[in-house]
């Protein structure tokens, strides 16, 4: 009999694995709605939806292994990283989804969210003031108009699966929507700056590297407090706090 593996669990949602089936339990049905619809629309490999009975979504495992993990050296080849870049380009060239996206819909909204979070990080003593101030300065490059594309919205390295040099699946589409293309590229390469050139080579067009670096700072600033409150450790080697320190 297959064991039940807890992949991730916190107060908002949980993902369990039983053999080759993943069970996603989410109290927010809007996230599940987005995930199912996005997987039906995107031109990149995604898991097969097996069944859905709110609040549970059952999807099949995708072949291959994750591109890597935050805080650990990636075992994947440069060609695999380039293939991930090419898949992201396919996604960004797809027709826009009919929904706007769940968050960060424009630069003004993003700036307000960032300013509020930076104040909380300092006031609550979560991070040193100089670390927050420096990374807030770096993050400023993100606050500019962008042309919306179809974005994954949470394209962490563990959400991309590869087999050899081929992308076999991209998972966890609950944050998909219209957004900044460089946010996806930055999220994938967060903590893996050494593979940015590979991803850009596969993506196949010039991008503003300063904006990608700014997204590293911004995503980390916005994520640290949430991670702590939900039982994760952003101070682990190679993770969000180290990303922020690397900008000093």
């Amino acid at each position: 009999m297959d064991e039940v593996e807890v992949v991730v669990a916190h107060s908002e949602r949980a993902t369990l694995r039983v053999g080759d089936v993943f069970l996603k339990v989410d109290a927010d049905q809007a996230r599940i709605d987005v995930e199912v619809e996005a997987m039906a629309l995107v031109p990149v490999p995604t898991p097969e939806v097996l069944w859905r009975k709110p609040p549970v979504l059952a999807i099949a495992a995708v072949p291959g292994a994750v591109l890597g993990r935050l805080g650990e050296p990636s075992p994947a080849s440069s060609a695999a990283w380039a293939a991930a870049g090419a898949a992201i380009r396919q996604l960004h060239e797809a027709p826009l989804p009919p929904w706007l996206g769940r968050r960060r819909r424009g630069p003004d909204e993003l700036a307000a969210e960032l300013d509020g979070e930076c104040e909380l990080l300092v006031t609550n003593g979560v991070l040193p003031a100089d670390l927050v101030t420096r990374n807030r300065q770096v993050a400023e490059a993100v606050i500019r108009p962008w042309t919306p594309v179809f974005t994954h919205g949470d394209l962490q390295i563990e959400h991309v699966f590869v087999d050899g040099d081929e992308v076999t699946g991209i998972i966890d589409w609950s944050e998909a929507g219209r957004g900044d293309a460089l946010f996806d590229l930055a999220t994938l390469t967060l903590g893996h700056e050494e593979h940015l050139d590979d991803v850009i080579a596969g993506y196949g067009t010039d991008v503003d590297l300063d904006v990608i670096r700014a997204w590293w700072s911004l995503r980390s600033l916005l994520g640290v407090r949430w991670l702590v409150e939900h039982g994760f450790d952003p101070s682990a080697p190679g993770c969000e706090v180290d990303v922020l320190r690397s900008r000093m």
Side-chain angles (χ1 to χ4, degrees):
M1 182 175 179
D2 290 316
E3 294 183 350
V4 177
E5 174 191 357
V6 179
V7 179
V8 64
H10 49 77
S11 61
E12 295 180 1
R13 63 190 105 166
T15 300
L16 310 176
R17 180 171 186 169
V18 185
D20 289 333
V21 176
F22 287 87
L23 301 175
K24 306 189 72 171
V25 185
D26 199 323
D28 184 348
Q29 284 305 296
R31 276 195 293 254
I32 296 295
D33 292 341
V34 166
E35 179 149 15
V36 172
E37 188 167 358
M39 288 192 293
L41 293 175
V42 296
V44 297
T46 62
E48 176 189 0
V49 176
L50 300 176
W51 52 265
R52 180 183 180 192
K53 186 175 182 179
V56 182
L57 171 68
I59 60 175
V62 297
V66 295
L67 189 61
R69 299 187 187 281
L70 188 61
E72 301 175 10
S74 169
S77 66
S78 293
W81 280 88
I88 298 169
R89 179 67 181 273
Q90 282 185 287
L91 170 64
H92 292 170
E93 290 181 340
L96 288 171
W99 64 92
L100 293 176
R102 294 173 53 84
R103 57 180 179 172
R104 300 170 196 160
R105 298 176 184 175
D108 292 340
E109 180 182 345
L110 184 60
E113 181 182 3
L114 178 59
D115 288 340
E117 188 63 29
C118 287
E119 182 177 354
L120 287 171
L121 288 170
V122 175
T123 301
N124 296 338
V126 179
L127 291 174
D130 61 340
L131 187 64
V132 173
T133 299
R134 171 57 184 156
N135 279 276
R136 175 62 182 85
Q137 293 169 347
V138 174
E140 186 66 31
V142 167
I143 312 302
R144 88 280 180 225
W146 61 73
T147 301
V149 300
F150 198 143
T151 58
H152 180 281
D154 191 23
L155 196 60
Q156 302 176 45
I157 188 174
E158 294 183 39
H159 291 166
V160 178
F161 282 71
V162 295
D163 186 359
D165 299 336
E166 178 184 356
V167 174
T168 54
I170 299 176
I171 67 171
D172 286 354
W173 292 85
S174 61
E175 301 295 334
R178 304 180 186 189
D180 181 2
L182 300 191
F183 177 66
D184 274 351
L185 295 173
T187 302
L188 181 68
T189 55
L190 182 78
H192 287 274
E193 187 171 352
E194 70 277 9
H195 289 293
L196 178 59
D197 287 345
D198 298 326
V199 171
I200 299 307
Y203 194 72
T205 187
D206 290 335
V207 301
D208 190 329
L209 298 181
D210 286 339
V211 174
I212 289 182
R213 296 186 182 101
W215 270 120
W216 290 338
S217 289
L218 193 149
R219 181 181 173 94
S220 297
L221 287 169
L222 293 183
V224 165
R225 194 167 57 89
W226 185 94
L227 291 166
V228 171
E229 291 174 353
H230 287 79
F232 301 100
D233 184 9
S235 298
C239 295
E240 285 80 2
V241 175
D242 275 355
V243 170
L244 295 171
R245 287 172 178 155
S246 70
R247 305 273 75 86
M248 296 297 285

